[in-house]
Amino acid sequence: MTKKWAISGVDLHLDLKGTRVRAALESALREAVSGGRLRPGTRLPSSRALAADLGIARNTVADAYGQLVAEGWLTAVRGSGTRVARRPAPADSTPAPEAVILAQTRYDLCPGAPDLSAFPRSAWLAAARRALSVASCDTLGYSDPRGLPELRRALADYLGRARGVRAGPEHIVICCGFTQGFWLLCRVLRASGATTLAVEQFIQQGTCQAAKENGLTLTTLRVDERGARVSELGAADAVLLTPAHQFPLGVPLAARRRAQVVEWALDTGGLIIEDDYDGEFRYDRHPLGSLQGLSPEQIVYAGTASKALAPGLRLGWLVLPGRLIDEVCAAKTLADRNTGAIDQLTLAEFIVSGAYDRHIRRSRLIYRRRRDRLVTALKRDTLGVRISGIAAGLHALVELPPGHDEQHIIARAADHGLALLGLGTYAKDPHNHPPALVVGYAKPPEHAYTSAVARLSAVLAEAARSS
Amino acid sequence: MTKKWAISGVDLHLDLKGTRVRAALESALREAVSGGRLRPGTRLPSSRALAADLGIARNTVADAYGQLVAEGWLTAVRGSGTRVARRPAPADSTPAPEAVILAQTRYDLCPGAPDLSAFPRSAWLAAARRALSVASCDTLGYSDPRGLPELRRALADYLGRARGVRAGPEHIVICCGFTQGFWLLCRVLRASGATTLAVEQFIQQGTCQAAKENGLTLTTLRVDERGARVSELGAADAVLLTPAHQFPLGVPLAARRRAQVVEWALDTGGLIIEDDYDGEFRYDRHPLGSLQGLSPEQIVYAGTASKALAPGLRLGWLVLPGRLIDEVCAAKTLADRNTGAIDQLTLAEFIVSGAYDRHIRRSRLIYRRRRDRLVTALKRDTLGVRISGIAAGLHALVELPPGHDEQHIIARAADHGLALLGLGTYAKDPHNHPPALVVGYAKPPEHAYTSAVARLSAVLAEAARSS
């Protein structure tokens, strides 16, 4: 039955079905208070009176009052009875704005992510099952801030053979993507007295912001067709490089400059941070080994599963010079103690079982084909574009004919439901770069790729005609 | 066949089986350089000479040299031939020390973790499978820094009904455990001009360190049998409280003080951070609702899966006043962008399917029985201890008879293979607290619990006899 009763002129509807009378009473009172229907200071009837009113036991009412007093909704003052406690206005219930979504986008050629529809869900779940079936209980507790030994061992072996990284498992710290790894490094650098970090002329803006937030001043290295001009390093305390495949220009760091930057580190004691974000994806040339292998005590190697698998995994790793391990671990401990254990165990099993290599081989084949289709589609003389940075990675640089406005092209593409990003997005000096698009050809699901490239091609053709 | 050849007096053993001659040559050269056998500056034979020596094509040698030049191991200077590049000493291969492990510990009654052997591995994997089978691809990309809507919706509902938290999904930010949530809050507080944070007299030391690292000055609230003395808040900008079950004393914050601290926040604009670390575990009394429900715009509610499931998951959540959402999200974006998507999806499914409630009900029953067994074992008059803080949570405070030294007891327990922690571990002023143990009765696996308690009891009996 549903009972209806009133306190101080406020009608309360109480569903007294079943035996949960007290819970119902508490909940009705809570609602009346939080909704503002019972105002602060309002005196409630005595438990005896209310119990008689409702036809329930007095103790039930007294217990409910007691509970709400304990929770702070009511106050009970000897001699003055039970009253509604002073409370602020109800919480603002306006939803905070959801993250910006490109609502009308049907095709997406922005760089930075692989084809998420190709994430190997079944193989990942199978690896998780195998890993969890043998993992010791300790792995689910607070653990070594460097990460679980299972994953560090698997990575040491994988990185050694696939990327020429020289490190034992004890030099590896697992972190929540490159983002966290870089963040921790910035903190450690700043704490050790470093003040300046050199970065490449084109770079993710979030990366710059993380460095600045941690008190580092940025200096800029220009990038040309042989990669970052490391001769401009000067007195920087550290440098962040993308030697295998400059992001977003796509050039590798030339051999002489690789040697040169190592010399710089040896001479000045400076630290090199090697962001090897897509080192697994090479198409036309023998893979370049990591820079780290040349001089492990001068170089931090930073890798990630974001491009090879998915950014949502939030799994990255730092391979550290011995002198930095303890400090990075201390920073990690304060920041979040550990990275999620189940994902770590799963990735370890995924690597050791060979599933990771298989996935990369398969992806490499697919992305290489996509790249070739992109190049074919855009090579027509009438478009007047120049494509570069395509020997590796998941994106291409498409330079527009001189005088073209990349923002205009991007806006026109948006009108056609195609999301694009321009080189300006990554330029430290937004007024000083050739007009170009950074085309992420890995991102669309396979079924949408042909249409996405066709639209890009159409937008470029339209721009060429109207110029 | 295995070929042997020499450069500059250094013998190199080359396995020329199969067709991977070039790879074998590169690898042998890399090894010779990185191992120091070929010293910097050493001039290599011309590719013609070496090819003749090895009986392989000259191009193979030239390609191998080219690759190693590209990788920085060798340098090629016109007119001076190919030389070994200048390189630093090989990386220190001494393993960094592994995290300290209580090597001889057979039983562990330290607080801070649940029974990890009871982690519901099958149910978790089943939830992961269901969640991944329906999740959209976008969930595996970079996503809303607040976390995936699936999990925020599930938590908003769960926290509302189980903990009396008032918040829509848009007020929730998923983070990597309480550790990261608190870290982000400290950054946001400091950036907004806050300088002082009040904390309880007994607290995890890592928490204090995180606040200090972010530039906050700590003030201390004494804790008595009614919880933190919030009247001592004074001019603090914010306060961190454990209202449901003070850590580690175990007292709940008294009703009047709950109201009082909300008044303080309303009057001064101060922020309350409610650390509800084990709010799900209540035994002898009706659960106290969260403080947050009283005044959502003054209080940040911080919850975690570390006690209900496992710390290794690294899943926590903040329920935020509207004015803090954007700033916390900005800090999260810089720190690590997102928390792992697969764990988020899995926890959402785990909650929505009812598995979370079932697991908590089961755990509550088990831990309650353990608590009762602990109390029975230690209640003997001869031990002279006083047990408190046991109406809730996963640990008990065991006060030792006056004059006893908790460090002595802990050392004796260690001799018996039993790991314990004392109240001193959590005391802001290590010289001012009664001698006491903080006994985590949830931690041992079920089969080891009886022995663990028997040892504790024996150690306490021995101490009582010898005093």
Side-chain angles (χ1 to χ4, degrees), chain A residues 305-339:
Chain A
S306 293
K307 308 298 180 268
L309 284 165
L313 285 181
R314 307 312 300 130
L315 284 171
W317 39 87
L318 299 177
V319 181
L320 293 160
R323 70 195 140 98
L324 292 181
I325 297 172
D326 286 349
E327 291 161 73
V328 171
C329 284
K332 169 81 179 164
T333 300
L334 284 179
D336 64 359
R337 297 181 74 144
N338 297 119
T339 295

Side-chain angles (χ1 to χ4, degrees), chain B residues 182 196-204 207-208 211 217-223 228 232-233 236 238-241 246 428:
Chain B
F182 180 68
T196 54
L197 173 75
V199 298
E200 295 167 326
Q201 175 187 5
F202 299 100
I203 186 172
Q204 293 271 11
T207 305
C208 295
T217 303
L218 298 182
T219 62
T220 305
L221 301 181
R222 282 176 296 172
V223 179
E232 298 172 358
L233 271 168
V239 59
L240 172 65
L241 294 172
Q246 204 282 329
K428 279 212 70 200

